[in-house]
Amino acid sequence: MKPFPILKMGDPKLQTPAKVVADFSDPHLQKDIAELKFAMKTFGGVGISAPQIGINKRIILFGFEHSARYPTEKPVPFTILINPTYTTLTEQQEESWEGCLSVPGLRGKVPRFTRIEYSAFNLDGNEIKIIAEGFHARIIQHECDHLDGVLFPERIVDMKNFGFEELLWEKIYGVPYPVSS
Ligand code: NI
């Protein structure tokens, strides 16, 4: 089995708001989530949204123990969210570096709210509400943006804080850029 390819910035499907999932008994839902999991694992993402693999539905997944793409970030629990929304629990925003599987090789500094409460449905159609902070909250805001057709470069405040990973890596993470052999 090959993963679905990740759509890249410039693809109109990444600029289109995704559709609300209305039918939790739809057997395609399980399959879509399996494809998302597989793509996230294969490409090493800390999160992924359905539109990134060409599925026009409001579904996101995220979570990791250790991420080579974000080596200094603490683990985030693995979570599947359907029709996620969030409210901010603070006015405070923090600027930090983000990347995206749909924007390969680039990083940008993006402001995000530091504390949010999200609500969403799980695969059984039950509603969940959880408070998230820091990088965990950042991922959710990033992935929810995908569902609205927004990519992180649109959120960068100072475009001087946008560039290639190989040049920024050491400054961001304090370790040399991992060169794959
Ligand atoms: Ni992304």
Side-chain angles (χ1 to χ4, degrees):
M1 181 170 145
K2 263 191 168 166
F4 281 20
I6 305 278
L7 304 184
K8 294 197 178 75
M9 184 168 61
D11 192 310
K13 285 181 182 165
L14 292 173
Q15 300 169 349
T16 310
K19 288 193 179 133
V20 168
V21 173
D23 180 6
F24 286 85
S25 64
D26 181 355
H28 288 121
L29 203 53
Q30 301 268 4
K31 198 172 165 287
D32 292 341
I33 287 167
E35 289 292 352
L36 273 169
K37 265 189 201 172
F38 186 43
M40 186 170 100
K41 198 172 168 220
T42 305
F43 300 110
V46 295
I48 195 167
S49 64
Q52 287 178 278
I53 58 168
I55 296 170
N56 183 23
K57 293 180 185 172
R58 300 188 81 84
I59 306 170
I60 66 173
L61 311 188
F62 55 85
F64 64 96
E65 266 300 312
H66 175 79
S67 169
R69 284 172 54 76
Y70 298 90
T72 56
E73 301 293 352
K74 291 194 203 89
V76 169
F78 180 77
T79 311
I80 299 167
L81 300 181
I82 301 169
N83 300 337
T85 56
Y86 64 85
T87 53
T88 60
L89 298 178
T90 173
E91 305 252 299
Q92 198 197 342
Q93 296 193 54
E94 185 178 59
E95 269 199 307
S96 190
W97 295 94
E98 288 182 20
C100 179
L101 296 176
S102 295
V103 190
L106 291 157
R107 297 278 159 146
K109 214 172 187 183
V110 180
R112 300 285 187 189
F113 292 99
T114 55
R115 194 172 148 84
I116 64 170
E117 180 175 44
Y118 70 80
S119 66
F121 294 87
N122 63 20
L123 247 180
D124 304 323
N126 297 317
E127 194 172 16
I128 41 178
K129 273 179 186 279
I130 291 180
I131 291 172
E133 296 181 335
F135 193 63
H136 186 187
R138 175 172 296 277
I139 295 176
I140 294 161
Q141 290 167 80
H142 176 117
E143 300 308 336
C144 285
D145 266 358
H146 276 297
L147 302 182
D148 294 330
V150 174
L151 298 177
F152 84 81
E154 296 169 61
R155 299 276 190 201
I156 298 170
V157 176
D158 180 352
M159 287 305 282
K160 284 196 167 58
N161 292 322
F162 187 39
F164 289 95
E165 282 176 347
E166 62 206 84
L167 301 177
L168 292 167
W169 200 267
E170 206 154 340
K171 178 174 113 178
I172 301 172
Y173 299 113
V175 292
Y177 182 60
V179 180
S180 52
S181 52

